Amino acid sequence: MPVRDLTTEDFLAYKTVSAGAFSGFFDPSAPGAPQGFSPAETALGIDAATLPGGLEGVIAAGARIRHDRLALGGGTARCGGIAGLAVHPAHRGDGLFGTLLTEVLARCRDERMALSMLYPSNPAIYRRFGYQVVARGQSLIVPLVDLQRIPAVPGRRLVPVTAETMPRLRELYHRLSAGDNAMLRREGPLFPEELPGGGWSALLLVDEDGADRGYVSWTRRADAADGVGLEVHELFGRSREDRLALLRSLGSWSTVTELIRLRLRTEDPVLDVLPGGGARPDPRPVPLVMMRVIDTAATLRARRAPAGLAGAVRLVVEDATVPAGTCAAAGTFLVTAAEGALTAVPAAGNRAERGSGAEPEAGAAEASLGTARLDIHAASLLLVGGRTLADARRLGLSAEADPAAEGFLDTLLAGPRPSVLDAF
């Protein structure tokens, strides 16, 4: 069952399979319906005609790899976002899922992606291939009566987001999410420059000097059965006062609705200024985000070392979830931090899987280094940031280290827990 690149000629057959699995139907004549794969995607599939009893012109299994970048430890890393992975109902149970996903991971390696990300409906099947849950979507139902009590913030005013002011919002997003872990950088062509459609609206918050301080974006919901009249997608502010001013602006919607749904980052600073005790968890299912290390050295090199951290550790990553050579995650790596710089290279004599783009380190006095040993699930959890080796062990993952090595890695990988506000 050979896996091949899909082309524009395969697009309708692929969308028929993927839409049937996820949304039910794809109408290519509908306004705005895509007519082909994005130039920032790699599409892979298996022809049904290569399988027993398969028909010509049918895609038995297919998936798309998005070429994204995400924020990571103060830097950025390339990430393969896996979307629309589906198997035709006529060919389920024949092992196509594993064959296709293994080739997807190998292609991520070949295209120099450090990490892979996906949103699972069934986490267990992806975990078998090394993916680990790293984040959960968070939303609160907030009564607007709570927000009406917020006093006015002096020196702040609101500006509509239009085609002219949208670049300012994008710049704010880049600046205010740069210190997070796993937030997509939202770059073209996957993220177009124009205003989002579908009723999306937003306001910029500016100070007395005209400097941008934050923004809030939302979609109005008419006749919502659950009483939630406003979906608030994002609320970002430079300071507590900015976030209070933006929350106060949402209180003005109380004339048309009583409740809003406020989407949050993990440990969102908005939680520290949200007034009142009326907010409650969103009752809808919690979306999961899974990630997997594709290239250990590249993932580490994408980060910046914390100021004042100096030292080195031998990091051993074990990966028995995919055939050897599929990824560049497994192996032994020499990780060094000094003066804010971070290096990660295969250790001398290491048989690290190909793809890291680094040559083996030779001649270092490696016998004196502390050692940490992680399985692929612990590595995928920890290298995205915001967790300690002890956290990984609490989850039943394999994460063992000498005391000095554990302290080094915990410091190196510290930071906010991963947040993802985009879905695909």
Side-chain angles (χ1 to χ4, degrees):
M1 55 182 76
V3 178
R4 67 171 178 87
D5 285 54
L6 300 182
T7 67
T8 301
E9 288 71 26
D10 302 307
F11 183 72
L12 182 57
Y14 164 74
K15 287 297 292 184
T16 299
V17 174
S18 63
F22 298 108
S23 59
F25 178 69
F26 174 67
D27 181 4
S29 64
Q35 301 301 309
F37 299 108
S38 166
E41 292 179 336
T42 298
L44 301 176
I46 300 173
D47 291 313
T50 65
L51 305 173
L55 301 178
E56 292 284 351
V58 174
I59 299 299
R64 306 189 322 274
I65 306 171
R66 291 166 50 101
H67 296 235
D68 276 306
R69 286 199 311 145
L70 51 77
L72 189 69
T76 60
R78 298 190 65 201
C79 179
I82 311 307
L85 198 162
V87 178
H88 195 288
H91 298 286
R92 292 173 186 167
D94 295 336
L96 274 64
F97 177 88
T99 298
L100 179 60
L101 185 53
T102 299
E103 186 59 32
V104 163
L105 293 173
R107 182 60 67 89
C108 288
R109 173 209 65 204
D110 291 344
E111 298 189 4
R112 303 295 183 185
M113 294 171 176
L115 297 155
S116 176
M117 174 192 293
L118 54 79
Y119 306 84
S121 55
N122 182 353
I125 61 175
Y126 290 100
R127 196 176 190 281
R128 293 202 299 266
F129 293 85
Y131 283 91
Q132 175 67 31
V133 173
V134 300
R136 290 166 171 79
Q138 299 186 55
S139 298
L140 289 178
I141 307 300
V142 181
L144 290 178
V145 65
D146 286 356
L147 306 186
Q148 290 177 297
R149 300 182 183 130
I150 300 174
V153 177
R156 300 290 188 271
R157 60 185 176 86
L158 297 166
V159 176
V161 173
T162 64
E164 181 181 357
T165 57
M166 186 66 185
R168 291 162 55 184
L169 184 149
R170 292 189 180 280
E171 170 61 25
L172 266 177
Y173 171 82
H174 284 146
R175 188 178 306 174
L176 298 180
S177 65
D180 289 351
N181 282 315
M183 291 283 280
L184 299 189
R185 301 305 291 157
R186 295 184 180 170
E187 298 163 333
L190 289 171
F191 292 90
E193 292 296 325
E194 61 266 20
L195 290 168
W200 182 94
S201 299
L203 291 171
L204 284 167
L205 183 73
V206 301
D207 62 20
E208 294 173 315
D209 298 323
D212 296 326
R213 302 289 308 183
Y215 72 89
V216 59
S217 65
W218 70 87
T219 298
R220 176 78 170 97
R221 297 178 66 204
D223 303 321
D226 57 3
V228 177
L230 207 68
E231 297 279 355
V232 180
H233 308 303
E234 295 172 9
L235 193 156
F236 282 71
R238 293 176 181 267
S239 68
R240 288 175 55 87
E241 290 73 22
D242 299 328
R243 292 185 281 274
L244 281 168
L246 291 167
L247 284 172
R248 184 176 188 272
S249 75
L250 292 173
S252 67
W253 287 91
S254 62
T255 57
V256 294
T257 187
E258 296 181 357
L259 301 172
I260 65 171
R261 180 177 286 108
L262 177 61
R263 189 172 62 161
L264 301 167
R265 290 174 285 172
T266 307
E267 299 170 348
D268 200 309
V270 172
L271 291 170
D272 196 45
V273 297
L274 193 65
R280 63 179 187 270
D282 185 354
R284 300 180 307 178
V286 176
L288 302 178
V289 180
M290 299 187 85
M291 295 187 72
R292 189 199 200 282
V293 172
I294 300 294
D295 186 327
T296 296
T299 301
L300 288 164
R301 288 198 301 267
R303 308 180 64 90
R304 297 174 184 169
L309 178 65
V313 66
R314 184 191 295 105
L315 175 63
V316 181
V317 177
E318 299 170 338
D319 183 4
T321 63
V322 293
T326 301
C327 296
T332 302
F333 304 88
L334 179 62
V335 184
T336 305
E339 299 180 354
L342 180 65
T343 61
V345 296
N350 178 36
R351 294 185 178 180
E353 297 173 32
R354 64 188 178 94
S356 69
E359 294 299 323
E361 179 78 5
E366 295 176 9
S368 63
L369 300 177
T371 298
R373 187 177 297 273
L374 311 176
D375 67 9
I376 186 59
H377 295 101
S380 296
L381 178 78
L382 298 174
L383 268 59
V384 183
R387 300 271 195 157
T388 65
L389 271 72
D391 291 331
R393 290 192 290 269
R394 288 190 198 101
L395 296 176
L397 310 181
S398 179
E400 304 300 330
D402 304 331
E406 182 158 346
F408 177 91
L409 286 176
D410 284 349
T411 302
L412 174 65
L413 303 174
R417 291 193 176 188
S419 297
V420 181
L421 293 181
D422 296 289
F424 43 80

